[in-house]
Amino acid sequence: MSFLAEEIASQPDELASMLDRETERLRRFVAGLPPISFALVAARGSSDHAAEYARYAWAHAAGIPVAPAIPSLHTLYGTPPRLEGALVVAISQSGQSPDVAAVLEEGRRQGRPTLALTNDPGSPLARAADHVIQLCRTPERSVAATKTYTCELGALALFAALRSGDDQRLAALARMPEAMAATLAACDAPAVRVAEALREVAQLVCVGRGLNLCTAQELALKLRELLRVATIGFSAADFRHGSIALAADGLPVLLAMPSGLAHADMRALAGEVRARGARPVVISDATEAGEGADGLFLPMGGAAPEWLSPLTAVLPGQRLALAMVADRGLDPDRPRGLPEKIVRTV
Amino acid sequence: MSFLAEEIASQPDELASMLDRETERLRRFVAGLPPISFALVAARGSSDHAAEYARYAWAHAAGIPVAPAIPSLHTLYGTPPRLEGALVVAISQSGQSPDVAAVLEEGRRQGRPTLALTNDPGSPLARAADHVIQLCRTPERSVAATKTYTCELGALALFAALRSGDDQRLAALARMPEAMAATLAACDAPAVRVAEALREVAQLVCVGRGLNLCTAQELALKLRELLRVATIGFSAADFRHGSIALAADGLPVLLAMPSGLAHADMRALAGEVRARGARPVVISDATEAGEGADGLFLPMGGAAPEWLSPLTAVLPGQRLALAMVADRGLDPDRPRGLPEKIVRTV
């Protein structure tokens, strides 16, 4: 079994373990925070899609606006912004990228509280932070991130739940490992069938709305890095503002559309995309959402409130990427053109 | 002449006119602002790429962190964030999209100062704002935005210059219409040659770094909407974190790399991309940057400080998109699959 396949399968257990290990520690950190008017979040790659989740989930569940950090202002230009009122957060699997650490260090310099999410508690990033959340029990060995991504989502959801002071949010999060396991069980065989149907495909679009914009962005990255398929991630609204012109000539359009408030609009978009001659590929727990998708349907199992659904909605897409890798005879642990797991940018 | 060609050519004059008309009005608005710890900026499509510019330029020149707004929290979910300390900004050519207006209205509701950038001072968006900047003298008739995009950049740069209190920034901005005219003159014929070289291309990548990330994002959108070419915009750092796997097999990689602090890293990236078997297409005022680009070089004319270079760097890419439209026998004013200029999302 490849590292990638193993790590995809391990995600429910890793999330449960992270919640066990980190909940009470993070509760104390949250309780001790000074007044905060916004969060500045630094991340790259998959971790940046977890940061995208925080933009939605922290505002939605805890009222906190999130500004994505701009590492180059700290490294290249030497003009960091004023951070009065900010909680400074950095997210990095390896904790090694100097640009991400530079943002956290600037937060310290300006006397602001700092929080790091990383898989390596001995990394430079972890050493620079007031509080560190360790993501997984073991190192991630696949070049393409999966289990660190979902543990990042889980840790960010944990922060939102604690900050909201709503125990029901915490209880819902504690049920997510089970929902993730149910989704992995439900999507395995369908992912193989969809991969076969997409055998000749060289371009894809992924679309999500609201809380699942991160899902679309993350799945687009998985398909680019594992398969070298030119895949663009969009929000439903931004897709409609011009780029929907691409939806034609059988282009597969992967739609992350779990049930919830964003679902109806995503169903409408699936219909528009089909009417334009593109091929919707639907990820959903609502089975009727698969109608008209010509069998290109990736089911989610279990139930999740919408604000936590990115934890389950990403799984069928990860399994699809893995199945497409196998179908094309590629090596899931050695993507072409990506020799290194750790990328250091400045 | 098409509306698109006319509007591309009109950009230096439109910017000069906007600066004449709006500078003193905006100076008074800026002087009257209460204390601000961050800006919340709402926009879609091309206007969202102008918002991306504000993220960099406002922090870089005026120390203001920028959080992109999330319209769906205001419309779909009914959970807007707390806006204490925020300046609320909305950018929309038409001023018609209800989701963008909803963010500004929430700012008013929470008693925060609001600023709208739009081409229609009678639009719902304009009516909801404390202060309105009108972008161009005349309506934009091309479906693909060009002159409203550069006037948005200019208005956002004007805000940063006024807020910084540095008169040299204002003087540099006043010289940009001339630099834009010089760039339009320099890139016209090269754009036609590059369009011919890219005749068979169905996929592209655009990369920018730092202040010109917006340029990469905006040019990617132009190529998608005008040509139905699957084009992905990346920051240089995010491209290196996984998606660089795409750089192979002759894929054209458009690099927005004017001279400045980001230039050296972009030159290094051009070399990496070439070494991987992809084809760099270079936009720069540094002529030696075109070396090894196999003639795929789009020159910028005039001189601009890096923080204002997005105003010039986008022009050769707009001209390239126009030339590719002509080369492929398409209609620049009627892109396939985009019947409407105004898109209303909720």
Side-chain angles (χ1 to χ4, degrees), chain A residues 30-75:
Chain A
V30 168
L33 284 173
I36 284 165
S37 52
F38 70 104
L40 187 80
V41 181
R44 294 287 188 200
S46 288
S47 298
D48 202 31
H49 305 145
E52 185 78 34
Y53 172 67
R55 283 184 61 219
Y56 283 78
W58 286 20
H60 177 68
I64 304 172
V66 174
I70 304 176
S72 64
L73 293 179
H74 301 252
T75 53

Side-chain angles (χ1 to χ4, degrees), chain A residues 12 175-188 299-303 312 315-316 319:
Chain A
R175 288 190 294 271
M176 288 308 293
E178 196 182 335
M180 291 170 79
T183 290
L184 285 171
C187 71
D188 203 16
M300 298 162 63
T312 40
L315 305 178
R319 276 274 167 83

Side-chain angles (χ1 to χ4, degrees), chain A residues 114-203:
Chain A
T114 56
L115 170 64
L117 279 61
T118 176
N119 213 31
D120 180 358
S123 62
L125 181 67
R127 290 196 302 269
D130 294 332
H131 187 88
V132 178
I133 297 179
Q134 185 180 343
L135 298 166
C136 298
R137 280 174 299 192
T138 54
E140 186 168 64
R141 300 181 67 181
S142 164
V143 170
T146 55
K147 68 178 185 175
T148 54
Y149 172 71
T150 48
C151 278
E152 286 166 358
L153 296 183
L156 294 163
L158 180 62
F159 180 95
L162 291 167
R163 176 86 183 179
S164 75
D166 180 347
D167 284 347
Q168 293 194 352
R169 291 198 185 274
L170 216 52
L173 178 56
R175 288 190 294 271
M176 288 308 293
E178 196 182 335
M180 291 170 79
T183 290
L184 285 171
C187 71
D188 203 16
V192 173
R193 285 195 299 272
V194 173
E196 284 167 11
L198 301 183
R199 184 166 292 162
E200 306 300 328
V201 160
Q203 298 181 357

